[in-house]
Amino acid sequence: MIRSLSIFVILVLTSGVVSRSFAQSGSKAETALNQLMEGNARLAKATADEAIASDKNNALAYAVRGNSLTMISGWKSGLPDLEKAIKLTPDNGLYLSMLSDVYNGVGQEANAKKAADKAFVALRSPKNAFEYFARGTVNSRLNRSTEAIADFTAAIQLKPNFVRAYGKRAGIYYDNKKATEAIFDYTMCTNLSPDYTAGFYYRGLIYMDQGRYKNAIEDFSSVIKVDPSYTDAYLNRGISSANLRNFNDALYDYEKVEKLEPDYWQIYNRKGHIHFQQEYWQSAVQEYTTAIQKKPKEAISYVYRANTYSRMGDAEKCLMDFLMAQNLDPKLSDVYLNRGNVFYNAEMYEDALKDYKKVIELSPKWSGAYFNAALALQGDQKFSEAINYFQKAIDIDPKNLDAYLNKAYAFDALGNKKAADAERKKYVEMGGEQQAVGKNVYRNMYPEMEFDANLAKSKLERGNCTIRGRACTKVDGGIYYAKGVKVVLYPVTPYL
């Protein structure tokens, strides 16, 4: 099944020595616990089965088997065994903390909090690594990050090979934007247990977030080596390859995902994106269409296909798909953003502005929404209004360099060189590459030959010359068309 991409590690028991407060007389249950600690969920389940077969009231065996099942088949599969363990030992803090995690995983938030609260009372005075680990899990569930880290650290100090204590602590570090610490802990997991896939997988996700795609690919490959059926490892390795523009590698992984999860509709969109980037428009349309067939009420697939039709020059199909997406999800900002881009590229600035304003309505705190609206206004020669929208984009995101630069262009168009240069100076101070003082964009173009008045006059006689086009000026890559501006032509033979 497709797993969540969030940084989260399934709670499992991790210590080489079993406390008698948890382990029961059957040694099979203790063996199963150690196997689970080492990351071998399937073997742990098999051993727990044997323990239960010989003792139907072995709470530890049920707890281990329940945790093993959550790792093998998902949260729901482990719930009955964990509830059985609690029924046999109602006040066991460790089992309650485990049950709280599973309740959270299946969406039973009220039961999860109830179990966590009860576990916290039972674990008020931890006596061993297991109890610190369990209380750390409860503290994490109750959003007490500092206390949780302290508990996991205590567990590691008592049991230096406590792999999953490192894993749980790593997850909290990353949630608190401490990527370096998180990577260190996940590396400890992989060093202590090379077959522990979670350490590689979640470290790979961090590398992806950091743009270190080659490192991410290595980690996801390590996961696949241990577990060739790990769908998410193929998915994220494919995404990493796509970001490196290794399109063949990406398609290989996406096709693996398709085989493992044929009903996962988003993988067809991923394949479509690869073909789109390669400008294989028909292949992209085919993949997006498959995604639509798999899940016809998902608006985003229509948006992707609409963009492709736009590139193919099929305006009718493009607009029909955008309309379908809008009807399916009127609050999906991607619809208006992408359709606005299509209108903008077609120089239909008023239509683009309407869509961009809808994006602002739906995402009022996104700087890019105001920036795009400003570009549409600028394209429509409404420079004063454009300046206001560029400023709003800057107010939301003072590091929006493009907003400073384009605001300067708008001032240029209004003839306000002083204000334009001031914006360019801000642009450079913020890290832009342009010179602090903008170059003079107002310049006359003169012919390189002596002006011949009689020849020019004869060429301008009716029937002798035709001038077609739209007057414009170009400034640092931007094109600004004349509208309500006096244009003076200096005729000379080579220019006519």
Side-chain angles (χ1 to χ4, degrees):
M1 66 184 290
I2 298 296
R3 290 166 281 262
S4 169
L5 300 187
S6 63
I7 299 296
F8 184 79
V9 182
I10 295 174
L11 169 64
V12 287
L13 308 179
T14 56
S15 177
V17 180
V18 181
S19 167
R20 283 294 160 187
S21 62
F22 304 123
Q24 298 176 346
S25 58
S27 62
K28 284 286 186 183
E30 296 179 22
T31 301
L33 176 60
N34 286 318
Q35 291 164 344
L36 188 61
M37 176 270 293
E38 294 166 359
N40 198 332
R42 295 184 186 278
L43 184 58
K45 177 189 174 298
T47 307
D49 284 338
E50 295 178 14
I52 292 169
S54 62
D55 180 1
K56 300 294 184 184
N57 294 316
N58 192 321
L60 177 60
Y62 282 109
V64 171
R65 189 171 72 174
N67 271 271
S68 299
L69 286 170
T70 62
M71 296 179 71
I72 297 168
S73 306
W75 294 111
K76 289 184 179 179
S77 60
L79 184 57
D81 276 344
L82 284 166
E83 289 179 333
K84 175 74 171 178
I86 295 299
K87 185 176 181 180
L88 291 168
T89 314
D91 297 319
N92 187 295
L94 180 61
Y95 302 164
L96 285 165
S97 69
M98 295 163 64
L99 183 62
S100 174
D101 258 3
V102 176
Y103 277 142
N104 183 75
V106 298
Q108 297 184 27
E109 294 295 335
N111 285 336
K113 188 177 186 308
K114 183 178 179 181
D117 289 340
K118 191 173 180 181
F120 191 77
V121 173
L123 296 165
R124 191 160 290 168
S125 300
K127 300 178 180 64
N128 53 52
F130 280 124
E131 291 183 349
Y132 277 110
F133 180 71
R135 193 175 71 174
T137 301
V138 173
N139 276 321
S140 177
R141 178 65 54 218
L142 298 176
N143 297 316
R144 299 168 181 160
S145 297
T146 302
E147 293 85 348
I149 288 175
D151 281 337
F152 292 133
T153 300
I156 291 167
Q157 290 171 343
L158 289 169
K159 304 290 180 187
N161 66 338
F162 208 145
V163 174
R164 290 184 175 86
Y166 280 109
K168 291 291 281 188
R169 191 173 69 176
I172 297 174
Y173 279 140
Y174 191 67
D175 288 342
N176 285 277
K177 303 186 185 304
K178 295 182 177 180
T180 301
E181 291 86 343
I183 289 174
F184 175 85
D185 275 355
Y186 283 132
T187 300
M188 288 298 298
C189 290
T190 59
N191 289 342
L192 289 167
S193 181
D195 290 338
Y196 179 58
T197 57
F200 290 107
Y201 179 74
Y202 290 107
R203 189 176 65 183
L205 292 183
I206 297 175
Y207 286 144
M208 282 183 70
D209 286 347
Q210 295 179 331
R212 298 165 63 181
Y213 299 115
K214 291 183 179 179
N215 297 95
I217 289 170
E218 290 178 3
D219 273 350
F220 296 134
S221 296
S222 295
V223 174
I224 292 167
K225 183 178 179 180
V226 176
D227 183 1
S229 64
Y230 204 124
T231 309
D232 282 1
Y234 288 109
L235 174 63
N236 287 288
R237 190 173 70 174
I239 294 171
S240 299
S241 293
N243 284 323
L244 293 173
R245 301 188 68 81
N246 295 331
F247 297 132
N248 290 336
D249 292 341
L251 282 175
Y252 172 85
D253 280 336
Y254 291 160
E255 286 169 2
K256 281 286 189 180
V257 174
E258 182 183 351
K259 290 178 182 177
L260 289 167
E261 297 284 343
D263 292 328
Y264 178 50
W265 61 277
Q266 289 177 319
I267 199 60
Y268 302 101
N269 283 335
R270 291 280 182 191
K271 291 171 69 178
H273 297 342
I274 297 296
H275 295 311
F276 186 94
Q277 291 180 77
Q278 294 177 306
E279 299 186 1
Y280 299 156
W281 310 124
Q282 199 58 52
S283 296
V285 166
Q286 183 178 341
E287 295 295 347
Y288 294 140
T289 301
T290 302
I292 290 169
Q293 291 170 343
K294 292 285 183 179
K295 206 158 186 179
K297 293 186 178 181
E298 284 292 339
I300 193 64
S301 300
Y302 291 94
V303 173
Y304 296 146
R305 194 172 67 176
N307 283 333
T308 312
Y309 282 137
S310 173
R311 293 299 186 94
M312 297 171 70
D314 195 329
E316 183 177 356
K317 288 183 178 179
C318 168
L319 294 176
M320 284 296 293
D321 269 354
F322 277 130
L323 182 59
M324 178 65 76
Q326 183 177 346
N327 290 337
L328 286 170
D329 190 352
K331 294 185 177 181
L332 180 64
S333 61
D334 294 80
V335 177
Y336 309 100
L337 174 61
N338 284 274
R339 187 171 62 190
N341 291 343
V342 169
F343 286 139
Y344 179 84
N345 291 330
E347 297 182 14
M348 299 169 65
Y349 299 119
E350 290 185 8
D351 292 312
L353 182 61
K354 290 178 183 177
D355 275 338
Y356 290 150
K357 284 186 174 181
K358 185 66 177 180
V359 177
I360 292 173
E361 177 186 326
L362 294 170
S363 304
K365 295 183 179 180
W366 181 43
S367 175
Y370 296 92
F371 177 79
N372 288 338
L375 289 180
L377 287 163
Q378 191 163 258
D380 205 25
Q381 308 293 295
K382 298 177 180 178
F383 299 108
S384 295
E385 290 182 63
I387 287 169
N388 292 333
Y389 275 89
F390 283 133
Q391 186 58 51
K392 289 178 182 178
I394 292 168
D395 290 341
I396 294 173
D397 180 10
K399 295 182 180 180
N400 189 334
L401 296 181
D402 288 336
Y404 291 103
L405 191 58
N406 281 276
K407 188 179 175 187
Y409 294 160
F411 277 124
D412 280 332
L414 292 174
N416 191 338
K417 184 177 184 298
K418 182 177 179 181
D421 287 345
E423 293 301 323
R424 288 191 176 88
K425 183 178 180 181
K426 294 176 187 176
Y427 170 75
V428 172
E429 290 172 347
M430 295 297 295
E433 296 180 359
Q434 188 169 319
Q435 295 297 315
V437 179
K439 61 187 178 183
N440 182 10
V441 298
Y442 300 97
R443 58 186 182 274
N444 294 323
M445 297 182 66
Y446 296 99
E448 296 179 355
M449 61 182 293
E450 184 178 351
F451 179 65
D452 187 331
N454 291 328
L455 183 60
K457 181 178 179 180
S458 67
K459 287 295 183 183
L460 288 174
E461 291 292 335
R462 183 179 299 277
N464 289 341
C465 183
T466 301
I467 300 176
R468 292 191 179 92
R470 188 175 180 184
C472 67
T473 184
K474 293 184 178 180
V475 182
D476 295 335
I479 299 177
Y480 304 98
Y481 293 103
K483 185 176 183 181
V485 177
K486 183 179 180 180
V487 178
V488 179
L489 297 179
Y490 295 90
V492 66
T493 302
Y495 290 165
L496 298 178

